[in-house]
Amino acid sequence: DIVMTQSPLSLPVTLGQPASISCRSSQSLVHSDGNIYLNWFQQRPGQSPRRLIYEVSNRESGVPDRFSGSGSDTDFTLKISRVEAEDVGVYYCMQGTQWPRTFGQGTKVEIK
Amino acid sequence: EVQLLESGGGLVQPGGSLRLSCAASGFTFRRSPMTWVRQAPGKGLEWVSTFSGSTSNTYYADSVKGRFTISRDNSANTLYLQMNSLRVDDTAIYYCTKDWNFDYWGQGTLVTVSS
């Protein structure tokens, strides 16, 4: 199985400041079709998860452009350019390249 | 608008069975792979099972293989998860999600396995 490792697991941030979450996979996430199926999800307190980013860097419709994804092969990053109060929650990376699908442990973003 | 509505959760004793349903609308259900993902209380997300769209391929996590069965009724736009031989560590919110990479999620249904 591909192991997804996120860091940090807890991220206190100041409103208006940037934030960055790392996600590393134990194997390359390059699929045989050439795509990289790395997704980022946001789970606000008490809510269902919501996909923010797919295929490394593509934002879902309606996701603010302060969220961006980058990376390649085994090393990926989610960045929030200026954290807002509504960004509080837990963020998960997930690989969709191989079975079984696997998630990172989650990174809890909170306001200082 | 895509909607996924789970139901069927509840309290069950260890060793018991439960069947979850997910009613889907707002997209072409028969073409879409569908997945169950669960989240134990206070824990992270765990993929459980996927049923492909165009073929009848099914995929299971090792933790549920042989105990859970995923199925779908394309005429009713509904996804199911039959859960047998339930264990205490199956306690979780079970979410229904759409597509190979989970682009939409339902609100979840809580399954509690306890004596």
Side-chain angles (χ1 to χ4, degrees):
Chain A
D1 299 2
I2 296 178
V3 177
M4 306 297 289
T5 303
Q6 289 182 229
S7 62
L9 299 185
S10 178
L11 185 54
V13 293
T14 301
L15 287 173
Q17 293 301 302
S20 179
I21 301 171
S22 170
C23 174
R24 289 195 166 95
S25 59
S26 61
Q27 302 173 32
S28 172
L29 296 187
V30 179
H31 192 272
S32 57
D33 65 9
N35 293 324
I36 298 176
Y37 296 104
L38 185 284
N39 305 272
W40 288 98
F41 298 89
Q42 174 195 61
Q43 188 174 31
R44 290 171 171 153
Q47 294 188 12
S48 300
R50 162 200 184 196
R51 193 171 73 172
L52 297 177
I53 302 283
Y54 62 96
E55 293 179 33
V56 181
S57 60
N58 296 285
R59 262 191 315 273
E60 285 287 349
S61 174
V63 172
D65 61 8
R66 64 178 181 274
F67 289 93
S68 64
S70 63
S72 63
D73 201 29
T74 62
D75 200 350
F76 305 93
T77 302
L78 176 70
K79 291 183 179 175
I80 311 174
S81 59
R82 294 173 304 279
V83 171
E84 298 190 5
E86 66 178 17
D87 300 336
V88 165
V90 181
Y91 292 78
Y92 298 91
C93 60
M94 186 215 81
Q95 64 83 17
T97 294
Q98 283 190 23
W99 300 102
R101 303 303 196 228
T102 46
F103 290 89
Q105 317 96 301
T107 295
K108 186 173 184 178
V109 172
E110 57 184 11
I111 305 301
K112 280 184 185 174
Chain B
E1 179 194 4
V2 171
Q3 290 196 334
L4 301 170
L5 187 61
E6 303 93 336
S7 60
L11 174 63
V12 61
Q13 291 189 337
S17 298
L18 214 53
R19 188 175 87 152
L20 306 183
S21 300
C22 170
S25 61
F27 63 100
T28 307
F29 180 77
R30 67 180 184 277
R31 292 181 189 163
S32 181
M34 298 294 295
T35 293
W36 291 97
V37 174
R38 68 183 181 183
Q39 185 171 37
K43 301 297 184 183
L45 301 170
E46 180 188 15
W47 168 77
V48 174
S49 181
T50 297
F51 198 119
S52 65
S54 55
T55 65
S56 295
N57 293 332
T58 57
Y59 307 85
Y60 295 95
D62 285 346
S63 57
V64 307
K65 201 173 294 182
R67 300 187 300 122
F68 290 11
T69 302
I70 191 171
S71 62
R72 62 193 295 163
D73 181 347
N74 289 338
S75 65
N77 288 354
T78 302
L79 178 73
Y80 302 100
L81 186 67
Q82 177 66 43
M83 304 185 296
N84 299 331
S85 304
L86 281 161
R87 308 190 298 223
V88 171
D89 62 359
D90 293 319
T91 295
I93 296 173
Y94 285 73
Y95 295 102
C96 169
T97 73
K98 173 185 162 293
D99 201 45
W100 292 117
N101 285 273
F102 316 165
D103 55 355
Y104 288 90
W105 296 62
Q107 87 292 342
T109 187
L110 177 62
V111 172
T112 303
V113 185
S114 174
S115 54

